[in-house]
Amino acid sequence: MTTHKPLVVITGASSGIGLATARLLSRRGHALLLLARRLEPMLQLQLPNSLALSVDVSDRAAVLAAVAQAEQRFGPVDAIINNAGVMLLGSIATQDPGEWDRMLDINVRGLLNGIHAVAAGMVERKHGTIINVSSVAGRKTFPNHVAYVGTKFAVSGLSENLREELSPSNVRVITIEPGAVETELLSHTSDEAIKAGYNDWKQGMGGVLTADNIAEVIDFAYGQPQSVCIREIVVCATRQQQ
Ligand code: NDP
C-alpha cells in the first residue's frame, strides 16, 4: 500500500531554498527526488520516502536517469521544482565569460532539462505541476547583474510560454520570483567588492527573506487544487525597495 503523497522532484536541494522546500514537502508527506551535486547535505536531511542523487542539472542524461529511477520507486512525478541555480555577479566589461557560461548552463539549460524529464509524462497523464524558480531579477534589472538577469529573464519568459503550451493538457506552470533571500547564493560571486556591496544592501533593508519564507510560498502555490494555477509570484522583503 502507498504510504506517501505523490513524487516531487526538487533540484538544488542541497542548500537554501531547495533544502527548505524539501523539508516542508516531506512534512506534507510527499515522496521526494532530491538533486544537486553535493550529496551529503541531502542525505543528512534523512527524509522518509526520498531518493537523493548527486546530479549536475546541466547533464541531461543524468537528470533523465534520476527521474526514471525515482519514478520506478515512487510512481509518476506529480511536480518538479526547478530551483538549482547560481548567481555570479560581475561587471560585464571585466567578468570572466566562463561565469556567463556556467549561469546559462545551470540556470537555463539545467532548468530546461528538468522540464524535459517530466513534461511528456505529465501531458500524457493530463496532470502535473512545474514550478520554476526565477527571480525578481527575471522582471527587472540590478547593477552588476547583466548575465544573471539574462538567465532569469529567460526563465520567466520560457515559463510563461510553457504555461500556455501545457495549459490544454491540465499541467500547471508556476513561476516563483523571489527578491533577496539569505542563502549560499551570493557566496559563489568571485568579485569581493560586489559581494561586499550586496551584503551592505541586504543589511540596509534590515535583513532579507529566509529560505523557509520561499518554501512556504512554493507549498502554498502547489497546494492549490490542480484546477487552480497561480501563474506567478513575486515575493520580496517588505523593505526591499528595488
Ligand atoms: P543556494 O546557493 O543556497 O542553492 C543553490 C542550489 O543549486 C544548491 O543546492 C546547489 O547545489 C544547486 N546547484 C547549483 N549548481 C548546480 C548544478 N550544476 N547541478 C545541480 N544543482 C546545482 O541558493 P538559493 O537557494 O538562493 O538558490 C536557489 C534558486 O533561487 C536559484 O535558482 C536562485 O537563482 C534563486 N533565487 C535566489 C535568490 C536569493 O536571493 N537567494 C533570489 C531570487 C532567486 P550543489 O552546489 O550541491 O550542486
Side-chain angles (χ1 to χ4, degrees):
M1 209 180 81
T2 306
T3 56
H4 54 77
K5 289 187 185 165
L7 175 63
V8 177
V9 181
I10 303 176
T11 71
S14 64
S15 74
I17 294 168
L19 189 147
T21 306
R23 278 208 187 102
L24 181 52
L25 293 186
S26 181
R27 283 211 302 279
R28 299 274 183 257
H30 286 280
L32 297 175
L33 170 62
L34 307 179
L35 302 178
R37 292 164 304 178
R38 287 169 296 168
L39 188 57
E40 200 49 40
M42 298 188 288
L43 292 177
Q44 276 173 7
L45 290 171
Q46 297 190 308
L47 301 177
N49 299 308
S50 70
L51 174 64
L53 295 173
S54 172
V55 166
D56 185 325
V57 290
S58 63
D59 180 345
R60 187 172 305 137
V63 174
L64 290 176
V67 169
Q69 190 182 336
E71 288 193 314
Q72 183 89 17
R73 187 157 146 197
F74 298 119
V77 174
D78 191 60
I80 186 165
I81 300 162
N82 285 306
N83 161 77
V86 288
M87 178 177 78
L88 307 169
L89 302 181
S91 160
I92 207 70
T94 53
Q95 188 174 19
D96 173 2
E99 295 193 344
W100 316 337
D101 293 344
R102 270 180 66 201
M103 286 191 283
L104 287 161
D105 279 346
I106 298 166
N107 301 3
V108 184
R109 283 201 193 89
L111 180 126
L112 284 166
N113 289 339
I115 293 166
H116 177 60
V118 302
M122 289 181 176
V123 166
E124 197 182 311
R125 292 188 295 278
K126 299 251 179 297
H127 195 96
T129 303
I130 296 174
I131 300 178
N132 292 333
V133 179
S134 177
S135 169
V136 70
R139 299 171 63 91
K140 64 193 295 300
T141 60
F142 293 87
N144 302 309
H145 275 59
V146 171
Y148 182 71
V149 154
T151 66
K152 290 302 185 179
F153 268 65
V155 171
S156 291
L158 74 84
S159 296
E160 173 58 8
N161 209 148
L162 182 72
R163 189 196 60 71
E164 292 168 2
E165 196 168 311
L166 299 187
S167 154
S169 301
N170 194 41
V171 175
R172 299 187 293 182
V173 178
I174 297 169
T175 311
I176 309 288
E177 293 162 329
V181 185
E182 201 57 60
T183 67
E184 293 178 14
L185 193 71
L186 181 65
S187 66
H188 308 294
T189 285
S190 54
D191 186 316
E192 293 302 326
I194 290 176
K195 247 187 337 203
Y198 196 100
N199 278 322
D200 287 348
W201 175 64
K202 289 199 300 192
Q203 276 171 19
M205 66 179 100
V208 295
L209 299 175
T210 65
D212 285 329
N213 292 149
I214 306 303
E216 296 280 354
V217 166
I218 290 171
D219 177 55
F220 173 75
Y222 178 43
Q224 300 303 308
Q226 182 71 27
S227 57
V228 177
C229 180
I230 299 178
R231 296 182 179 184
E232 205 172 356
I233 299 180
V234 187
V235 51
C236 298
T238 304
R239 291 183 60 190
Q240 178 171 338
Q241 195 172 17
Q242 296 83 7

